[in-house]
Amino acid sequence: MKKNKVAILGATGSVGQKFIELLSNHPWFEIDELAASDKSAGKKYSDAVNWVMQIPLDKKIAGMDVKKCEPVLNSKIVFSALDASVAGTIEEDFAKAGYIVISNARNHRFDDDVPLMVPEINSNHLEIIKIQKFEKGAIVTNPNCSTIGLVMALKPLDDEFGIESVNVVTMQAISGAGYPGVPSMDIIDNVIPFIGGEEDKMEIEPKKILGKITGGKINYATITISAQCNRVSVIDGHTECVQVKLKKKTSKEEIIKAWNNFSAEPQKLKLPSAPEKPIIYLEDEKYPQPRIHRNLGKGMSVSIGRLRECSLFDYKFVILSHNTIRGAAGGTILIAELMKSKGYLDKYL
Amino acid sequence: MKKNKVAILGATGSVGQKFIELLSNHPWFEIDELAASDKSAGKKYSDAVNWVMQIPLDKKIAGMDVKKCEPVLNSKIVFSALDASVAGTIEEDFAKAGYIVISNARNHRFDDDVPLMVPEINSNHLEIIKIQKFEKGAIVTNPNCSTIGLVMALKPLDDEFGIESVNVVTMQAISGAGYPGVPSMDIIDNVIPFIGGEEDKMEIEPKKILGKITGGKINYATITISAQCNRVSVIDGHTECVQVKLKKKTSKEEIIKAWNNFSAEPQKLKLPSAPEKPIIYLEDEKYPQPRIHRNLGKGMSVSIGRLRECSLFDYKFVILSHNTIRGAAGGTILIAELMKSKGYLDKYL
Amino acid sequence: MKKNKVAILGATGSVGQKFIELLSNHPWFEIDELAASDKSAGKKYSDAVNWVMQIPLDKKIAGMDVKKCEPVLNSKIVFSALDASVAGTIEEDFAKAGYIVISNARNHRFDDDVPLMVPEINSNHLEIIKIQKFEKGAIVTNPNCSTIGLVMALKPLDDEFGIESVNVVTMQAISGAGYPGVPSMDIIDNVIPFIGGEEDKMEIEPKKILGKITGGKINYATITISAQCNRVSVIDGHTECVQVKLKKKTSKEEIIKAWNNFSAEPQKLKLPSAPEKPIIYLEDEKYPQPRIHRNLGKGMSVSIGRLRECSLFDYKFVILSHNTIRGAAGGTILIAELMKSKGYLDKYL
Amino acid sequence: MKKNKVAILGATGSVGQKFIELLSNHPWFEIDELAASDKSAGKKYSDAVNWVMQIPLDKKIAGMDVKKCEPVLNSKIVFSALDASVAGTIEEDFAKAGYIVISNARNHRFDDDVPLMVPEINSNHLEIIKIQKFEKGAIVTNPNCSTIGLVMALKPLDDEFGIESVNVVTMQAISGAGYPGVPSMDIIDNVIPFIGGEEDKMEIEPKKILGKITGGKINYATITISAQCNRVSVIDGHTECVQVKLKKKTSKEEIIKAWNNFSAEPQKLKLPSAPEKPIIYLEDEKYPQPRIHRNLGKGMSVSIGRLRECSLFDYKFVILSHNTIRGAAGGTILIAELMKSKGYLDKYL
């Protein structure tokens, strides 16, 4: 099969680098162009980037010329790893010019006609791009890294028992802040109980993702969510303490069954980045742990553990997901795979 | 003033060492005897201990002979840093033999006639030792390290607005597990979302501490509490994300005022270990942080920050307290100071 | 090809677990039996082990019965991950009973008739097992984790220029101490400038490994070595600052060429665990770094960087090798592969 | 005694903050003015600074207006915590204008007429400021943080036995890189075997500091030094593995005696920041360690341990010193105290 050529916007940042790492040897997509800020444009990629991934930089990628983030690229499929400070306008420009933009940036997540996608959860939301404001192009977005693990855990519960409210306290990895990101003086032997903007995102994003489409638009789920976000001394992997109040009372066994049986369209379609098991429930009471479980399902599975009754809600449990794979580049690539598989990319090839 | 001689049970463990560190140059108390397990008894202290404190081991202490934990010590005032596996019986034996035991162990915390003390909160609970089962001696206990910071933050709110329910998620320091304690392979680049027995303690201890004495016994406060406890890569200082539902609605300003104005008997009595301000509210949205604030008030102040409204409870905020000072040895010494100041130690001197 | 059955002695410890991890899906060897201390013997492996590897424990392995470390096993090829406190006698018992023992323990490393093997360096030393004291069985050993990276870097220099003296200062990962190993209180925000016995091993082992066989015995290389060993807060990967004095003066370029061109018998034989490039020289002046480079060559390559002139020796440079893969289980498996490939295992199959 | 007013140049950086922390309640000096870059000048200090010290920012200091780094300040005694990128010219301007500049910056360390001071070692070098090029003012400098601990350890050996050569490998704390400094992604679970410019400083600075004054100028000591510098995951405290070749052979006992007996002018003059014991030899073979010993002598003592024979040099040992106290702000303040005590500041008061 001939691979589809794709471009990466914001290719020099840490999310951009993760896209490059995960797309190396991808069976469907092939990186054809790299674009970044004016500071980097015109340089060879290896000269423009401070490569911080663990696998060595591929030689072909290293030698590519970095282009400007302007809609004159050859590839019509672009992954956006742009910083939120510039992503808004650039992504719009590409969409207007007929590109399909699959973005990890927060800017367009709450546009009425832009889907906020987690392929296992709301693949049907893709249909709203048909009515998107741009004539030929389109924008599709990926949620915040701390939201994805949470909604994956909530989805089977919402389907089977209905969710009334959710309380979540996170312990997030430093890689979520990019590079250079968190100064070491701030996090060694320390916790930072604040991540700018993060709590707001976590309190609203799940409502759109778990929303239903009626009358051609997404109706947000009516769940009350309270979030508290902390940064801890972990390289990769967000751990979250979650409490839920359900609409229909159920047993611990039923909940674990719902998680273990959970499988969705990416699994049915056997998408290349889809984990065999999107959710893995771990019985050991001291699990999940970021260093041990973040790479399950090649970083695309969400681990859950410690399900127990709660005196204030119905149940409490702990979730763990890889923030730069499932929570960023990997999740975005899975969206692209879903779109390709369902024919949404046909006109951009 | 002549100092009162005291003994330390469990003197070789990490809590025992902290007692020694904090009692060096104490204005009222002087360590006269050290006792530990049979393995250590008979040795010179410096030979029996693996000293892990940051200040060098005092020469006089280093040269002391370690005694057995049997009620034949000269000092009638004993601090117990014993492990819970042995503390129950040994502490009882001492109390029966006429010693006053001020304990950091969990074993007797829920005996009906044993006060569970935080001097700023329930100094009046001391009166129940008058009816304690032991003829001459008595046992007084200190709560769990993760409970103390929490109840300090709750007390002013309970006094002024009444507390209905409390939700807490902790990020606890490794020193809370003693020495050798947490293996480094388990905590570097990791979070452990489980601490054995800790959640149970946090869900019950505050109810006794905030209880009222009626009819000569402590009536537990009727607060619903849910706790989730995590271990993170921090040396000292427990960080806790707290949510509260209040009986009487109030404003953010009133709450901060209640905290900032909080002062109690240890402050009035100017006890040597009492911090000038038991609670310090920090305005910076990224505070409190363990490495920066754990030593405020010489490790005896509790720092609070990030008070904000909560969609599920009334308010949420972050607290930070030093787990081995306020949360263990320092808190226990403060109890002894309170008891001395109020005459409870007179017959043991 | 039918796989050869192997057994693991000391299967529950951290090195034993690493053997299991690395032998899963091995093309030549298949784990048939697990043996451990009397405490674990008789249990199911999953009940006996505190599994700390990052990949989940394989189900077939989990269900195996743990056997005693006695020479009544079916597999005649045994990997020893035994602790040095017991390895000496047990390994001898197996060798006497006709087993081939490939060991990571230090006990027999300096027996005259036991090769101390690094397959890229001294594969010819295998021939001395023909004259080994045991009638049918034999013992072959792997050097200390901090030695292997060093000798790999030295070998090409010794071959081409001759080495007179070596000075090495290590910064070693905590996984080298096993599990529970280093207490977190000892290493977070800290360095431990001492590792028991390690400096002695590093000052003698390279001399045997780089020795020549004459008259049927290994003549130790006449190199003066001084070692200083430190433990730092790193999970995996030993970093070493090395200085060398050469017999024949040469240029920086020649040295880098010698490293980059280095290839040996494991590469020629295309052994399954042999890295394509045993030595990788990195040009970036801030490399090698453990978190970034430890997994190069699946953890079997040694990374080198920062070659520069030295005012006291001739050259100084930095090396990095994965201590539990190349430096322990992986290195030992490579020895077994070399032995099989050269026919040394034929009579044990 | 009336305190002398001093100013701090570069007051908002991390070294500037450390000056403020250490000068609070100083018995001789009082901060009267704070100066910083144009970006901060004009603001209130609390608005200009991102305070990262552990003690809360003093209210009086918080309210000060930040001035420009121009020689129109009232205090004639200025501490320079300026970044090397700007320190050169600014410090000269102040000296020309009649100020005495005591600097932590590297720019003027090797000017022929500028002393590079460690008060315990070369207090006599102060005399060369009499012939300094500036008419009224003068510049005095403090060496690099990694040099100070080293030369303190070398001085008694050089005095008694003579030093021929020194080999040193450092494991340096992150605070040495300032704030934000080292990104956490670079140092958690990692070592960085490179610190820009550091090795050059360590190979030359000790020669000037240990030099003798003859003919009105400093003659550098003829010692060969080789340095290798690494960054490790430690907050404060540089650990260094040192090897020395001595001119006169001696015993281990004699060396330890030389260290333990070492006392110099700051101790005789009882300078406020002078530690009672400048060098502390620790007998435990696993000491010194940064987290345990960095605060000895209020961060002004240098700890040494593990003295042992070396096959390549004469002896090897480990040293530990607090890099932001003894190695930066504290060392610089000690220079000022020495100068005041010896009358060098009289004309600036």
Side-chain angles (χ1 to χ4, degrees), chain C residues 57-82:
Chain C
L57 176 55
D58 177 84
K59 277 191 187 150
K60 197 184 136 221
I61 299 290
M64 285 187 179
D65 289 323
V66 179
K67 304 192 172 172
K68 289 192 180 184
C69 288
E70 292 172 358
V72 294
L73 303 178
N74 300 318
S75 329
K76 292 297 173 195
I77 304 166
V78 300
F79 289 108
S80 166
L82 290 167

PDB file of all heavy atoms in Angstrom, chain C residues 57-82:
ATOM      1  N   LEU C  57       4.069  -9.602  33.580  1.00  0.00           N
ATOM      2  CA  LEU C  57       4.563 -10.973  33.737  1.00  0.00           C
ATOM      3  C   LEU C  57       3.786 -11.903  32.796  1.00  0.00           C
ATOM      4  O   LEU C  57       2.560 -11.935  32.805  1.00  0.00           O
ATOM      5  CB  LEU C  57       4.370 -11.395  35.206  1.00  0.00           C
ATOM      6  CG  LEU C  57       4.743 -12.831  35.570  1.00  0.00           C
ATOM      7  CD1 LEU C  57       6.175 -13.157  35.175  1.00  0.00           C
ATOM      8  CD2 LEU C  57       4.555 -13.047  37.064  1.00  0.00           C
ATOM      9  N   ASP C  58       4.536 -12.644  32.000  1.00  0.00           N
ATOM     10  CA  ASP C  58       3.951 -13.582  31.053  1.00  0.00           C
ATOM     11  C   ASP C  58       3.141 -14.656  31.789  1.00  0.00           C
ATOM     12  O   ASP C  58       3.566 -15.168  32.835  1.00  0.00           O
ATOM     13  CB  ASP C  58       5.111 -14.247  30.283  1.00  0.00           C
ATOM     14  CG  ASP C  58       4.631 -15.301  29.318  1.00  0.00           C
ATOM     15  OD1 ASP C  58       4.260 -14.927  28.192  1.00  0.00           O
ATOM     16  OD2 ASP C  58       4.610 -16.493  29.709  1.00  0.00           O
ATOM     17  N   LYS C  59       1.987 -15.020  31.229  1.00  0.00           N
ATOM     18  CA  LYS C  59       1.099 -15.957  31.934  1.00  0.00           C
ATOM     19  C   LYS C  59       1.697 -17.335  32.124  1.00  0.00           C
ATOM     20  O   LYS C  59       1.512 -17.965  33.158  1.00  0.00           O
ATOM     21  CB  LYS C  59      -0.229 -16.069  31.182  1.00  0.00           C
ATOM     22  CG  LYS C  59      -1.136 -14.923  31.583  1.00  0.00           C
ATOM     23  CD  LYS C  59      -2.553 -15.077  31.119  1.00  0.00           C
ATOM     24  CE  LYS C  59      -3.295 -13.773  31.455  1.00  0.00           C
ATOM     25  NZ  LYS C  59      -4.370 -13.502  30.519  1.00  0.00           N
ATOM     26  N   LYS C  60       2.409 -17.800  31.111  1.00  0.00           N
ATOM     27  CA  LYS C  60       2.991 -19.146  31.223  1.00  0.00           C
ATOM     28  C   LYS C  60       4.044 -19.161  32.343  1.00  0.00           C
ATOM     29  O   LYS C  60       4.088 -20.096  33.148  1.00  0.00           O
ATOM     30  CB  LYS C  60       3.633 -19.541  29.879  1.00  0.00           C
ATOM     31  CG  LYS C  60       3.884 -21.039  29.748  1.00  0.00           C
ATOM     32  CD  LYS C  60       4.605 -21.393  28.445  1.00  0.00           C
ATOM     33  CE  LYS C  60       5.705 -22.411  28.737  1.00  0.00           C
ATOM     34  NZ  LYS C  60       6.941 -22.159  28.017  1.00  0.00           N
ATOM     35  N   ILE C  61       4.876 -18.147  32.364  1.00  0.00           N
ATOM     36  CA  ILE C  61       5.891 -18.040  33.413  1.00  0.00           C
ATOM     37  C   ILE C  61       5.213 -17.913  34.780  1.00  0.00           C
ATOM     38  O   ILE C  61       5.614 -18.555  35.755  1.00  0.00           O
ATOM     39  CB  ILE C  61       6.781 -16.801  33.155  1.00  0.00           C
ATOM     40  CG1 ILE C  61       7.517 -16.916  31.819  1.00  0.00           C
ATOM     41  CG2 ILE C  61       7.756 -16.595  34.305  1.00  0.00           C
ATOM     42  CD1 ILE C  61       8.600 -17.944  31.773  1.00  0.00           C
ATOM     43  N   ALA C  62       4.185 -17.085  34.850  1.00  0.00           N
ATOM     44  CA  ALA C  62       3.488 -16.839  36.122  1.00  0.00           C
ATOM     45  C   ALA C  62       3.011 -18.132  36.756  1.00  0.00           C
ATOM     46  O   ALA C  62       3.014 -18.297  37.980  1.00  0.00           O
ATOM     47  CB  ALA C  62       2.315 -15.893  35.888  1.00  0.00           C
ATOM     48  N   GLY C  63       2.612 -19.072  35.914  1.00  0.00           N
ATOM     49  CA  GLY C  63       2.034 -20.311  36.428  1.00  0.00           C
ATOM     50  C   GLY C  63       3.044 -21.398  36.757  1.00  0.00           C
ATOM     51  O   GLY C  63       2.682 -22.459  37.280  1.00  0.00           O
ATOM     52  N   MET C  64       4.312 -21.155  36.457  1.00  0.00           N
ATOM     53  CA  MET C  64       5.322 -22.192  36.734  1.00  0.00           C
ATOM     54  C   MET C  64       5.524 -22.408  38.223  1.00  0.00           C
ATOM     55  O   MET C  64       5.438 -21.466  39.006  1.00  0.00           O
ATOM     56  CB  MET C  64       6.670 -21.784  36.117  1.00  0.00           C
ATOM     57  CG  MET C  64       6.729 -21.943  34.615  1.00  0.00           C
ATOM     58  SD  MET C  64       8.446 -21.627  34.056  1.00  0.00           S
ATOM     59  CE  MET C  64       8.245 -21.909  32.296  1.00  0.00           C
ATOM     60  N   ASP C  65       5.838 -23.616  38.594  1.00  0.00           N
ATOM     61  CA  ASP C  65       6.191 -23.913  39.981  1.00  0.00           C
ATOM     62  C   ASP C  65       7.654 -23.558  40.198  1.00  0.00           C
ATOM     63  O   ASP C  65       8.511 -23.937  39.395  1.00  0.00           O
ATOM     64  CB  ASP C  65       6.007 -25.406  40.270  1.00  0.00           C
ATOM     65  CG  ASP C  65       4.538 -25.779  40.313  1.00  0.00           C
ATOM     66  OD1 ASP C  65       3.733 -24.972  40.813  1.00  0.00           O
ATOM     67  OD2 ASP C  65       4.195 -26.869  39.811  1.00  0.00           O
ATOM     68  N   VAL C  66       7.944 -22.863  41.274  1.00  0.00           N
ATOM     69  CA  VAL C  66       9.331 -22.542  41.576  1.00  0.00           C
ATOM     70  C   VAL C  66       9.994 -23.761  42.216  1.00  0.00           C
ATOM     71  O   VAL C  66       9.445 -24.352  43.145  1.00  0.00           O
ATOM     72  CB  VAL C  66       9.417 -21.329  42.527  1.00  0.00           C
ATOM     73  CG1 VAL C  66      10.879 -21.020  42.865  1.00  0.00           C
ATOM     74  CG2 VAL C  66       8.745 -20.119  41.897  1.00  0.00           C
ATOM     75  N   LYS C  67      11.149 -24.137  41.680  1.00  0.00           N
ATOM     76  CA  LYS C  67      11.861 -25.298  42.209  1.00  0.00           C
ATOM     77  C   LYS C  67      13.007 -24.868  43.126  1.00  0.00           C
ATOM     78  O   LYS C  67      13.348 -23.694  43.201  1.00  0.00           O
ATOM     79  CB  LYS C  67      12.407 -26.131  41.040  1.00  0.00           C
ATOM     80  CG  LYS C  67      11.285 -26.546  40.082  1.00  0.00           C
ATOM     81  CD  LYS C  67      11.713 -27.598  39.089  1.00  0.00           C
ATOM     82  CE  LYS C  67      10.475 -28.075  38.317  1.00  0.00           C
ATOM     83  NZ  LYS C  67      10.825 -28.962  37.199  1.00  0.00           N
ATOM     84  N   LYS C  68      13.578 -25.844  43.828  1.00  0.00           N
ATOM     85  CA  LYS C  68      14.747 -25.575  44.652  1.00  0.00           C
ATOM     86  C   LYS C  68      15.995 -25.451  43.773  1.00  0.00           C
ATOM     87  O   LYS C  68      16.044 -26.020  42.689  1.00  0.00           O
ATOM     88  CB  LYS C  68      14.970 -26.707  45.657  1.00  0.00           C
ATOM     89  CG  LYS C  68      13.926 -26.733  46.752  1.00  0.00           C
ATOM     90  CD  LYS C  68      14.354 -27.681  47.875  1.00  0.00           C
ATOM     91  CE  LYS C  68      13.286 -27.689  48.969  1.00  0.00           C
ATOM     92  NZ  LYS C  68      13.680 -28.510  50.105  1.00  0.00           N
ATOM     93  N   CYS C  69      17.003 -24.743  44.282  1.00  0.00           N
ATOM     94  CA  CYS C  69      18.250 -24.602  43.531  1.00  0.00           C
ATOM     95  C   CYS C  69      19.132 -25.826  43.738  1.00  0.00           C
ATOM     96  O   CYS C  69      20.224 -25.741  44.320  1.00  0.00           O
ATOM     97  CB  CYS C  69      18.977 -23.327  43.954  1.00  0.00           C
ATOM     98  SG  CYS C  69      18.148 -21.852  43.356  1.00  0.00           S
ATOM     99  N   GLU C  70      18.627 -26.939  43.313  1.00  0.00           N
ATOM    100  CA  GLU C  70      19.377 -28.192  43.442  1.00  0.00           C
ATOM    101  C   GLU C  70      19.533 -28.839  42.081  1.00  0.00           C
ATOM    102  O   GLU C  70      18.638 -28.737  41.237  1.00  0.00           O
ATOM    103  CB  GLU C  70      18.635 -29.142  44.392  1.00  0.00           C
ATOM    104  CG  GLU C  70      18.639 -28.623  45.822  1.00  0.00           C
ATOM    105  CD  GLU C  70      17.745 -29.437  46.740  1.00  0.00           C
ATOM    106  OE1 GLU C  70      17.091 -30.394  46.251  1.00  0.00           O
ATOM    107  OE2 GLU C  70      17.692 -29.115  47.929  1.00  0.00           O
ATOM    108  N   PRO C  71      20.665 -29.502  41.853  1.00  0.00           N
ATOM    109  CA  PRO C  71      20.996 -29.992  40.509  1.00  0.00           C
ATOM    110  C   PRO C  71      20.174 -31.206  40.083  1.00  0.00           C
ATOM    111  O   PRO C  71      20.733 -32.236  39.737  1.00  0.00           O
ATOM    112  CB  PRO C  71      22.491 -30.313  40.603  1.00  0.00           C
ATOM    113  CG  PRO C  71      22.779 -30.496  42.055  1.00  0.00           C
ATOM    114  CD  PRO C  71      21.773 -29.729  42.822  1.00  0.00           C
ATOM    115  N   VAL C  72      18.867 -31.048  40.168  1.00  0.00           N
ATOM    116  CA  VAL C  72      17.973 -32.109  39.686  1.00  0.00           C
ATOM    117  C   VAL C  72      17.032 -31.536  38.630  1.00  0.00           C
ATOM    118  O   VAL C  72      15.958 -32.071  38.394  1.00  0.00           O
ATOM    119  CB  VAL C  72      17.167 -32.720  40.853  1.00  0.00           C
ATOM    120  CG1 VAL C  72      18.109 -33.453  41.805  1.00  0.00           C
ATOM    121  CG2 VAL C  72      16.388 -31.651  41.602  1.00  0.00           C
ATOM    122  N   LEU C  73      17.420 -30.444  38.028  1.00  0.00           N
ATOM    123  CA  LEU C  73      16.583 -29.816  36.999  1.00  0.00           C
ATOM    124  C   LEU C  73      16.738 -30.562  35.677  1.00  0.00           C
ATOM    125  O   LEU C  73      17.761 -31.210  35.431  1.00  0.00           O
ATOM    126  CB  LEU C  73      16.984 -28.349  36.821  1.00  0.00           C
ATOM    127  CG  LEU C  73      16.915 -27.474  38.089  1.00  0.00           C
ATOM    128  CD1 LEU C  73      17.379 -26.056  37.772  1.00  0.00           C
ATOM    129  CD2 LEU C  73      15.497 -27.446  38.665  1.00  0.00           C
ATOM    130  N   ASN C  74      15.717 -30.441  34.832  1.00  0.00           N
ATOM    131  CA  ASN C  74      15.764 -31.092  33.520  1.00  0.00           C
ATOM    132  C   ASN C  74      16.709 -30.383  32.563  1.00  0.00           C
ATOM    133  O   ASN C  74      17.475 -31.012  31.841  1.00  0.00           O
ATOM    134  CB  ASN C  74      14.367 -31.119  32.894  1.00  0.00           C
ATOM    135  CG  ASN C  74      13.403 -31.892  33.772  1.00  0.00           C
ATOM    136  OD1 ASN C  74      13.752 -32.940  34.297  1.00  0.00           O
ATOM    137  ND2 ASN C  74      12.206 -31.357  33.951  1.00  0.00           N
ATOM    138  N   SER C  75      16.627 -29.063  32.533  1.00  0.00           N
ATOM    139  CA  SER C  75      17.462 -28.293  31.602  1.00  0.00           C
ATOM    140  C   SER C  75      18.906 -28.339  32.075  1.00  0.00           C
ATOM    141  O   SER C  75      19.187 -28.090  33.245  1.00  0.00           O
ATOM    142  CB  SER C  75      17.029 -26.827  31.582  1.00  0.00           C
ATOM    143  OG  SER C  75      15.655 -26.699  31.830  1.00  0.00           O
ATOM    144  N   LYS C  76      19.777 -28.634  31.149  1.00  0.00           N
ATOM    145  CA  LYS C  76      21.193 -28.713  31.528  1.00  0.00           C
ATOM    146  C   LYS C  76      21.876 -27.349  31.396  1.00  0.00           C
ATOM    147  O   LYS C  76      23.019 -27.178  31.804  1.00  0.00           O
ATOM    148  CB  LYS C  76      21.918 -29.748  30.647  1.00  0.00           C
ATOM    149  CG  LYS C  76      21.468 -31.182  30.905  1.00  0.00           C
ATOM    150  CD  LYS C  76      21.789 -31.617  32.322  1.00  0.00           C
ATOM    151  CE  LYS C  76      21.190 -32.987  32.623  1.00  0.00           C
ATOM    152  NZ  LYS C  76      21.170 -33.288  34.060  1.00  0.00           N
ATOM    153  N   ILE C  77      21.188 -26.415  30.784  1.00  0.00           N
ATOM    154  CA  ILE C  77      21.738 -25.056  30.662  1.00  0.00           C
ATOM    155  C   ILE C  77      21.046 -24.179  31.689  1.00  0.00           C
ATOM    156  O   ILE C  77      19.830 -23.993  31.641  1.00  0.00           O
ATOM    157  CB  ILE C  77      21.485 -24.485  29.254  1.00  0.00           C
ATOM    158  CG1 ILE C  77      22.074 -25.427  28.198  1.00  0.00           C
ATOM    159  CG2 ILE C  77      22.063 -23.079  29.120  1.00  0.00           C
ATOM    160  CD1 ILE C  77      21.580 -25.125  26.786  1.00  0.00           C
ATOM    161  N   VAL C  78      21.823 -23.644  32.639  1.00  0.00           N
ATOM    162  CA  VAL C  78      21.193 -22.809  33.661  1.00  0.00           C
ATOM    163  C   VAL C  78      21.859 -21.429  33.724  1.00  0.00           C
ATOM    164  O   VAL C  78      23.074 -21.311  33.685  1.00  0.00           O
ATOM    165  CB  VAL C  78      21.223 -23.462  35.068  1.00  0.00           C
ATOM    166  CG1 VAL C  78      20.498 -24.797  35.052  1.00  0.00           C
ATOM    167  CG2 VAL C  78      22.635 -23.645  35.574  1.00  0.00           C
ATOM    168  N   PHE C  79      20.998 -20.424  33.780  1.00  0.00           N
ATOM    169  CA  PHE C  79      21.484 -19.062  34.011  1.00  0.00           C
ATOM    170  C   PHE C  79      21.426 -18.809  35.508  1.00  0.00           C
ATOM    171  O   PHE C  79      20.398 -19.059  36.140  1.00  0.00           O
ATOM    172  CB  PHE C  79      20.585 -18.046  33.297  1.00  0.00           C
ATOM    173  CG  PHE C  79      20.725 -18.069  31.802  1.00  0.00           C
ATOM    174  CD1 PHE C  79      19.716 -18.597  30.994  1.00  0.00           C
ATOM    175  CD2 PHE C  79      21.869 -17.565  31.186  1.00  0.00           C
ATOM    176  CE1 PHE C  79      19.849 -18.624  29.612  1.00  0.00           C
ATOM    177  CE2 PHE C  79      22.005 -17.585  29.803  1.00  0.00           C
ATOM    178  CZ  PHE C  79      20.995 -18.117  29.016  1.00  0.00           C
ATOM    179  N   SER C  80      22.509 -18.307  36.069  1.00  0.00           N
ATOM    180  CA  SER C  80      22.501 -18.041  37.506  1.00  0.00           C
ATOM    181  C   SER C  80      22.378 -16.545  37.790  1.00  0.00           C
ATOM    182  O   SER C  80      23.238 -15.753  37.413  1.00  0.00           O
ATOM    183  CB  SER C  80      23.763 -18.582  38.164  1.00  0.00           C
ATOM    184  OG  SER C  80      23.893 -18.049  39.466  1.00  0.00           O
ATOM    185  N   ALA C  81      21.282 -16.200  38.459  1.00  0.00           N
ATOM    186  CA  ALA C  81      21.065 -14.836  38.939  1.00  0.00           C
ATOM    187  C   ALA C  81      21.096 -14.861  40.456  1.00  0.00           C
ATOM    188  O   ALA C  81      20.477 -14.048  41.119  1.00  0.00           O
ATOM    189  CB  ALA C  81      19.713 -14.336  38.436  1.00  0.00           C
ATOM    190  N   LEU C  82      21.842 -15.814  40.988  1.00  0.00           N
ATOM    191  CA  LEU C  82      21.884 -15.998  42.438  1.00  0.00           C
ATOM    192  C   LEU C  82      22.645 -14.874  43.129  1.00  0.00           C
ATOM    193  O   LEU C  82      23.562 -14.275  42.561  1.00  0.00           O
ATOM    194  CB  LEU C  82      22.567 -17.339  42.763  1.00  0.00           C
ATOM    195  CG  LEU C  82      21.774 -18.592  42.396  1.00  0.00           C
ATOM    196  CD1 LEU C  82      22.681 -19.816  42.478  1.00  0.00           C
ATOM    197  CD2 LEU C  82      20.558 -18.751  43.319  1.00  0.00           C
TER     198      LEU C  82
END
